[in-house]
Structures are given as C-alpha cells and as structure tokens.
C-alpha cells in the first residue's frame, strides 16, 4: 500500500435548490469517486479549475470533512475509521499552507509566538531555551533571519509571510503537507523562491506533499506526479512531464493551452 491512499473517495454536499414552491434538494458531488496513491516523499500536484473540488478533496484527506463514502489510509492506517477524538490527535500529522499568508497568520502574534504555539501542539511541555532553539532552526530552515522573530506579520513582505506560514506548518513535525494555492497571491519572482523552498524541504525531510493549484505551469515546476481534477473527478494522472507533454484528456489540453507563453524573443 502507498504511503497515502485514497480509495473511491466521495464527498457530497446537499444544497436546497429549486423554488419555494417546489423545494428540491440538490446534491453537489464535490469529490466524486477519487482514488489516488502518493508515496512517501512525493509531491503530488493537484490541478483544476475553480470549483472542481480541490479544496474539498484536501479537507476530506485531513478528515476536516468526513467523506460520504470511500477511505483514506495514511501509513497503512485508515483515517476514515477513526473516531472524532482520534482524528483530532492525528490532525497534527497534516499541516496546511494557504494562499493568503496574511489572512492565515494572527496579526497580533509575533513570529516567535506564532511558531511557539505550533511547536507546543506537538510538544506541550517544551519551554525556554529549547523552544527558542527550535524556533531559530525553523526560521533558518525557511530562509528567515532569526533576528526578526519578535516582529509581527504586517512587518513582512508577502513572500516572507509565506515563509513564516511554512515554518509554522513544519513546527508540529507533520507527515503530510497540503499546500492549497500557496503561491497564487505572490509575485512571479517570489513564486519560484517559495516553490524551490518547498522542494528543498521535501528533499531534506522526506515530506509528502499535495500541492494544489489552478496553474498547470506552477504544478509542473514542483510536482513529481500530477492529478488533473475536473468536476470532482480525477480525469488524468501521471508523471508530471508526461502529463505536460502528452496530455490525454481534452480538459488537460485546455489547461495547457491556457498557460501564457512568452514570445521567443523576450
Ligand atoms: N461546505 C460546503 N457546502 C456546500 N458546498 C460546498 C462546500 N464547500 C465546497 N462546496 C462546493 O463544492 C464544489 C467544490 O468546491 P471546492 O472549494 O472544493 O473547489 P476548488 O477546486 O477548491 O475551487 P477554488 O480553485 O476556487 O479554490 C463547489 O461547487 C463548491 O461550491
Ligand atoms: Mg480551493
């Protein structure tokens, strides 16, 4: 069995539709029979247009949403069979990095307190010097100068804030990182720095990652394998380069043609 296995996952939402005269309940199949395997240390790129179900799939993997049916296995353990209490404990193993690091960081907490809080989730009894040493190590790992640890999020640029969010995600020593559009809000020049950092972290710590983006160009840059999602289903899956150079599904071809091309002389 692969490190992370999704088997026939379905997550449906019920929505009241129709008119008040004939109320009918609609089912939204946000995740519709998804099966995927991800090996340890692998980066899976999950790509697809807005509303296709990428975030719902990632929330289901983490059991923030319980699936309508199907199973999630991490390291041979079925997460879908766990009680809510057990799931809460396991959730430390999954950390997320979001699109907007400013919204996801508490503006009233210094970088020090932000990372300290995240370390304490895993090591509640840690204190003093050991905490500080860990914070310094984490800041160095993500390319931040530890001298700025007493500053607040608003004192940093977008790229630096995303580094802080990555340090916070690493602090509880997760097994799996789900990065949901982590570079979409950043300048192109900063995007590649953050992508390189994530790749480096994968190499150094054998981290397993699901990297979500609507941009196939970005996903190709970082992912080992790519899964293309369309209306709740995985319509294409394979090695990143082969999906990129030899797409099978019409939807993937359309995504590819949407990547802006620079003129050859530029
Ligand atoms: N809590 C919810 N209740 C009802 N419907 C939901 C809920 N969350 C998501 N949906 C619906 O499920 C579908 C998939 O949404 P989801 O947010 O997973 O897409 P996405 O691929 O992450 O989109 P985006 O790229 O815009 O973030 C959409 O039709 C959305 O409206
Ligand atoms: Mg989303």
């Amino acid at each position: 069995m692969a490190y992370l296995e999704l088997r026939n996952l379905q997550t449906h939402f019920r929505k009241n539709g129709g008119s008040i005269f004939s109320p009918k309940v609609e089912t939204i199949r946000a995740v519709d029979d998804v099966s995927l395997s991800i090996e340890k240390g692998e980066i899976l790129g999950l790509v697809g247009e807005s509303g296709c179900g990428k975030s719902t799939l990632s929330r289901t993997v983490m059991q923030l949403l319980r699936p309508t049916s199907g199973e999630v296995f991490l390291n041979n353990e079925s997460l879908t069979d766990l009680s809510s209490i057990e799931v809460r404990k396991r959730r430390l193993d999954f950390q997320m990095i979001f699109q907007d690091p400013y919204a996801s960081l508490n503006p009233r907490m210094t970088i020090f307190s932000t990372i300290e809080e995240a370390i304490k989730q895993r090591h509640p009894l840690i204190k003093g010097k050991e905490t500080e040493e860990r914070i310094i190590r984490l800041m160095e790992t993500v390319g931040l100068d530890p001298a700025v640890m007493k500053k607040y999020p608003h004192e940093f640029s977008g790229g630096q804030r995303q580094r802080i969010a990555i340090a916070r995600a690493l602090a509880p020593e997760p097994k799996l990182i789900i990065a949901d559009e982590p570079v979409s809000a950043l300048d192109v020049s900063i995007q590649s720095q953050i992508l390189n950092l994530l790749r480096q972290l994968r190499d150094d710590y054998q981290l397993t990652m699901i990297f979500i983006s609507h941009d196939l160009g970005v996903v190709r840059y970082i992912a080992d394998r790519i899964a293309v999602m369309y209306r709740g289903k995985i319509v294409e899956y394979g090695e990143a380069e082969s999906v990129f150079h030899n797409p099978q599904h019409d939807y993937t071809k359309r995504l590819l043609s949407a990547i802006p091309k620079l003129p050859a002389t530029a």
Side-chain angles (χ1 to χ4, degrees), residues 54-56 180-181 212:
K54 306 179 295 295
S55 297
T56 305
D180 196 345
E181 303 269 6
I212 298 174

Side-chain angles (χ1 to χ4, degrees), residues 13-15 28-31 48-57 59 65 180-181 212 214 229:
F13 298 111
R14 290 163 74 80
K15 183 177 145 200
I28 299 170
R29 298 170 182 273
V31 175
E49 67 196 357
S50 183
C52 72
K54 306 179 295 295
S55 297
T56 305
L57 179 60
R59 291 165 64 79
L65 284 168
D180 196 345
E181 303 269 6
I212 298 174
H214 61 276
M229 196 168 186

Side-chain angles (χ1 to χ4, degrees), residues 88-143:
R88 225 170 294 140
K89 286 190 209 150
R90 278 325 178 288
R91 206 160 283 143
L92 276 185
D93 293 340
F94 303 91
Q95 291 296 316
M96 289 208 70
I97 301 165
F98 296 99
Q99 175 169 349
D100 182 349
Y102 200 54
S104 67
L105 294 169
N106 184 337
R108 281 179 297 279
M109 277 167 78
T110 61
I111 308 319
F112 183 97
S113 324
T114 300
I115 302 177
E116 179 186 36
E117 187 184 71
I119 293 172
K120 286 196 164 163
Q121 289 174 14
R122 176 75 71 186
H123 303 284
L125 300 177
I126 195 171
K127 42 183 174 291
K129 191 131 191 70
E130 204 191 335
T131 316
E132 188 168 330
E133 279 167 11
R134 274 180 193 252
I135 293 170
I136 291 172
R137 250 196 329 267
L138 281 162
M139 289 184 75
E140 286 171 349
T141 303
V142 300

